[in-house]
Amino acid sequence: MNLELGIPLNDTITEAIVDRLIECDPSLADRSREDIPRTCTSNRMLAAVGSLTSMPLFLKIKDFVDRSLLEECDASLLNRGMFVPLSRDQNQIFLAVANPWDPTAEDTFSQQYPDLEVTKILAPVAEITSVIETIARTTGPSQSDIDAIEVDERGEEILDFNVTGKHEEPLAQLVAKICSDGIKQRASDIHIKCDKERVHYSYRIDGDMGEKYEIPMKLKDRVDAFLLNLMGLAPEERAKRPGISGRFTVNYLRRSIDMRFERHRTYRGYHVTMRILDKSHFEAKLGVGSLAFDAATLFELEKVMAIPAGIIVMSGPTGSGKSTTLNAMLRELNRPEDNILTLENPVEDEIQGVLHCDIRPSEFQAMIASFMRSDPDIILMGEVRDMDSAELAIEAAITGHKVLTTIHTPRASQIIERFEQIGIERWKIAQTLKAACAQRLIKIVCPYCKIKKPGLTEREVRKYNLGEEWRETPVFQKSPDGCGECGGRGYLGRTAILEIIPITPEWSDQLSKGTISPYELELAVREQGILPSLRKSGLQLVKEGRTDLEALRKAIDMSSTE
Ligand SMILES: [Zn+2]
């Protein structure tokens, strides 16, 4: 039975109110109990509540409210307890309440004025609400609103795993060391693998897998369970699921670092990959550090970014730093007047003011419509991998949005063909694509131990397809044993090289008509000689003594002379 008084009432109280209504008006006794609330006005029911609780009922209270007393109160607290203060003298404070059974009102005022007696009167919900409204402000939630939200903080404690502190438990100390050593060496990933007789971990640093360190076999399951626990997962989960994804954060010298966790079952146990998402590496800026492109490339990039609508695509293999560059571009484009949304899987680099969406490929189709309705100006889409994502990029560009995305192709000119393979007509991509870019990360030779050579041998000149002048060009190469600074690797850090093919309106027209192929366009851009190709930028790094030909050969195809 619902009395519709606007306050929560339990069954016992509801029955008591109905009893009181019948007592006051014996003619109601002839009716069924369910029928009684419908035959009584809400004021009559309130009168019954007042009589039941021995509280006087005031149908109008506005004129009795002491404004200064009211303004001392927190509107959201009054709203939650559905009460307002009316007046106060030396001995007592008068309150109007809508729900006599709610203790909030008394609790609040007996704390605030412990010496005053609290006297309550009853008033309708609508009347109390209209009084509260007069002091309610719309400047966001009050502190008491926020404090009232209960958060399970237990999860937070286990999340921030301190990897540079001392741990009593040896296992915690071991996992902390595995993590902190990886962060210290600027590894991108930590791998833990089980094979037949051993469990070992290793780091991927500057794109290469490094030395393997052994973990005693008896700790196989305990390390696994410890890591799952860091994410708040029970060890039983590993039996239920073939693959487990998650994340946790570690505290490294008071810096919080996100770790993305992937675990899959293997024949001998498991393979865990932990990606270290160290934000201090992310703050990459165009033109600085690892993104210090040459002046012509930077100028072109800025020109392309200024185009109001269209697609900018970054191509390259996995681990070529595509998203780092796109995120750096997004930072440049990030203005308060633009609504910037991202669709990523997963979100790696959070930028203040940008709305990041973590989206799985299976949800993509369902998300697109609502995503476009949320009125974005600039969209960063993690990757074009299928028809859904390709269509979204094209549609968004046609309707006037700027789209930044990546695609898996080795050469910039193959971007157009990749879109066609996915199922997009040539003219559509030709008219929306504004820049086709290709990027690689090139390892830098350690400046502390690199070895100087007066020139290349005949064999090397042929191997790398270089001109005869390289036989007399002094170059550097990595030291075979490295040094303490580079951890024996001979390389220290990486830098990006970028090739841009700008699609001007003229090129776009010719591509649509099919009078030029994407590869011919790539060659035409090279012929102009303004924008360097990947190979040219790479060779420039060699001339500057920053990398060696071996590192270059691993990142780009040296078989062509272009
Ligand atoms: Zn070195």
Side-chain angles (χ1 to χ4, degrees), residues 90 92 145 167 225 254 281 381 385 401 438 440 458:
Q90 283 114 342
Q92 56 186 337
D145 267 348
H167 293 273
R254 306 216 176 125
H281 302 183
M381 187 166 64
R385 63 171 86 222
H401 303 87
R440 297 291 185 278
E458 177 65 43

Side-chain angles (χ1 to χ4, degrees), residues 445-450 479 481-492:
V445 284
C446 171
Y448 303 98
C449 62
K450 63 184 182 183
S479 147
D481 302 317
C483 67
E485 292 294 328
C486 58
R489 292 189 308 276
Y491 295 104
L492 198 57

Side-chain angles (χ1 to χ4, degrees), residues 228 234-242 244 263 265:
L228 291 174
E236 299 89 77
E237 291 294 321
R238 58 193 176 191
K240 285 187 225 153
R241 303 194 238 166
I244 296 175
R263 176 196 189 277
R265 222 162 37 208

Side-chain angles (χ1 to χ4, degrees), residues 404-435:
L404 309 181
T405 190
T406 74
I407 203 163
H408 273 280
T409 62
R411 303 177 75 96
S413 61
Q414 289 164 339
I415 290 172
I416 294 172
E417 281 143 3
R418 184 80 190 99
F419 268 92
E420 283 185 299
Q421 277 173 4
I422 288 172
I424 301 290
E425 291 112 307
R426 163 83 56 104
W427 68 269
K428 273 191 180 166
I429 180 62
Q431 293 195 350
T432 46
L433 187 64
K434 299 300 170 195

Side-chain angles (χ1 to χ4, degrees), residues 176-192:
K177 183 176 163 44
I178 294 174
C179 295
S180 64
D181 280 358
I183 298 164
K184 196 161 71 193
Q185 297 180 67
R186 300 176 62 92
S188 59
D189 306 86
I190 303 170
H191 290 257
I192 306 176

